Amino acid sequence: MEFTLTESFNATPEELYQAWLDEDKHSAMTGSPAIISDSIGDGFESWDGYIWGINISLTANERILQSWRTSDFTDEEADSRVEILLKATDNGTELTLHHTDLPEHGEQYIQGWKDHYFKPMKDFFG
């Protein structure tokens, strides 16, 4: 199972990239404490340990690729992948999120991204 979401934000690609990969900014952006870094191979955790994974590939201000799973995944289910693409626009940044390799119950994460990331990010960036 996979899906793609696209949303525009009133921020530069650099601001979004930094907010995604900085603990303090990520926590402020989502409203929930996060453990995260901007180094390939480092792990991350957010939403009180509900979400965790590893930074796989990072292209500054353009692309973030992470392994990703939640506590809803069974031990038999492999990690999914989240790819964030950032593209500058006249009004800020278009963020495209590709979420792939999800288990069959992965459809629930479509609304999760909208409610727990995109909505608070809109508020955070104005």
Side-chain angles (χ1 to χ4, degrees):
M1 197 256 155
E2 65 182 72
F3 59 85
T4 300
L5 300 173
T6 302
E7 188 64 65
S8 295
F9 294 95
N10 186 24
T12 66
E14 180 180 21
E15 289 170 326
L16 283 167
Y17 183 87
Q18 289 176 356
W20 202 277
L21 297 173
D22 176 273
E23 285 185 9
D24 293 335
K25 292 177 184 175
H26 193 105
S27 299
M29 174 179 79
T30 63
S32 180
I35 299 168
I36 198 162
S37 88
D38 61 357
S39 296
I40 294 172
D42 282 359
F44 66 88
E45 184 179 299
S46 63
W47 290 100
D48 296 322
Y50 175 70
I51 299 169
W52 69 92
I54 296 171
N55 293 332
I56 297 170
S57 177
L58 303 170
T59 305
N61 310 323
E62 293 179 17
R63 181 176 180 259
I64 299 167
L65 179 65
Q66 299 173 319
S67 70
W68 191 96
R69 66 185 298 116
T70 72
S71 55
D72 291 334
F73 283 42
T74 67
D75 291 342
E76 295 77 31
E77 293 170 331
D79 291 354
S80 65
R81 301 248 175 164
V82 170
E83 179 182 39
I84 307 291
L85 301 172
L86 304 170
K87 181 181 175 187
T89 65
D90 290 341
N91 299 320
T93 301
E94 179 182 87
L95 183 152
T96 301
L97 182 145
H98 298 290
H99 201 158
T100 60
D101 301 328
L102 283 159
E104 289 183 23
H105 60 83
E107 219 171 274
Q108 67 181 337
Y109 300 116
I110 295 170
Q111 196 61 46
W113 283 112
K114 292 175 182 178
D115 292 345
H116 301 292
Y117 273 82
F118 292 173
K119 184 180 183 312
M121 286 170 68
K122 288 269 192 187
D123 293 340
F124 181 76
F125 289 110

